[in-house]
Every structure is written in C-alpha cells, then in structure tokens.
Amino acid sequence: MASVLVLEVLNDALHPNLSEIVVEYLPIEVSTIAGSVQGYLDGPVSVARFNSPWGVASGHDGAIYVADSANHCIRVIRDGMVTTLIGQPQANFVDTAEKQLSKPSGLAFDHAGHLLVTSRSRVYKVTLPDGELSTLAGTTAEGHDDGPALEATF
C-alpha cells in the first residue's frame, strides 16, 4: 500500500490552532501520526505540538523530518516520539554553530543522505545523525542576486 505524507495546518472556527502530521494511504485512509493543537512540545506523538509545519521528508533512516516553520526548528518523528534536531522557538540568523533557523520551509535529502533545508534566504545542509548544520547558499540578506553560492541572495 502506497503512502503520502501530508501536513495539515488549520486555524478556523472549526479547527482553531490545529497543526498535525498525517499519513494518507492509497486507496484513501487518513491517520494522524503526530501533533494536535499548535505549540511547541517534544515527546510522544500523541502529545507533541507543532506550529505551522511547512515541509516534510522521509529519511533514509525511516524517520520523518518536519520543518516546523513558526517554531524555527527541524523536528524528527521516530519510534513514536517527536524530538527537535535543530533550532528553538525563536528566529535567529546569527551563526550556524548555534544551530538556529528562521522559518524553515523546504526539506529534501541528497544522495549522500544529508538533509537539505531552505530557511528564508539560505539553503543549509544538515549532517545526520548529529545535526551538524552548514550553509550551502545564501546570506542573511534577501534578494535576487546570482553569484558564488555564499554571496547569492534569495
């Protein structure tokens, strides 16, 4: 049976502050695998909280990686638990040594198994399993300038 990961973020009268990660199986069967109301909380998937999960990727290690955009974190769902790999609930662009992100959104894996992350005006590489973060392209400035990877703006 094939499966598709879906992010659901709702904030309306029927679903105030809902942020959850769901799996849709084809033919259609929908299951929530983590999250409920908005917030920031690591722990068992039944109580974990996300705030605007924006990107999701299935890792080579079987874990699910989530760009928790409004919490400025990359979160990992593995073995029934949610943990934070990188970041904390505050935006910051200072230094990759501090492992800070600002509104991460896109996630993908390269052929070597590194997690690639887009975060506002930068593209990062995350080495797993330790979460070492390095900048591949972009600066803290936003723009549309071509050039060497670490001088280009997005």
Side-chain angles (χ1 to χ4, degrees):
M1 181 180 294
S3 63
V4 178
L5 290 171
V6 178
L7 299 174
E8 183 174 44
V9 179
L10 299 171
N11 195 2
D12 60 26
L14 295 175
H15 306 91
N17 302 317
L18 177 69
S19 288
E20 61 185 11
I21 315 302
V22 299
V23 177
E24 290 192 10
Y25 296 97
L26 303 176
I28 303 299
E29 176 186 322
V30 179
S31 303
T32 299
I33 58 171
S36 56
V37 297
Q38 286 182 340
Y40 175 81
L41 182 64
D42 283 344
V45 294
S46 60
V47 298
R49 293 183 177 192
F50 297 86
N51 192 355
S52 297
W54 199 256
V56 64
S58 180
H60 303 292
D61 58 0
I64 297 171
Y65 292 79
V66 180
D68 193 356
S69 187
N71 280 328
H72 312 284
C73 299
I74 302 301
R75 314 281 291 285
V76 182
I77 303 169
R78 177 185 293 118
D79 299 325
M81 297 293 289
V82 174
T83 58
T84 299
L85 176 66
I86 297 172
Q88 56 186 351
Q90 62 185 13
N92 195 348
F93 263 134
V94 280
D95 189 322
T96 56
E98 294 185 26
K99 296 186 178 182
Q100 297 296 305
L101 299 171
S102 182
K103 296 196 180 288
S105 54
L107 299 179
F109 281 91
D110 67 12
H111 294 306
H114 300 111
L115 179 62
L116 305 177
V117 179
T118 58
S119 180
R120 290 189 59 176
S121 59
R122 285 187 174 171
V123 178
Y124 296 101
K125 176 178 80 173
V126 181
T127 303
L128 300 173
D130 63 352
E132 181 182 334
L133 183 68
S134 58
T135 303
L136 290 180
T139 67
T140 57
E142 294 181 9
H144 304 285
D145 298 319
D146 293 339
L150 295 176
E151 297 173 15
T153 60
F154 300 97

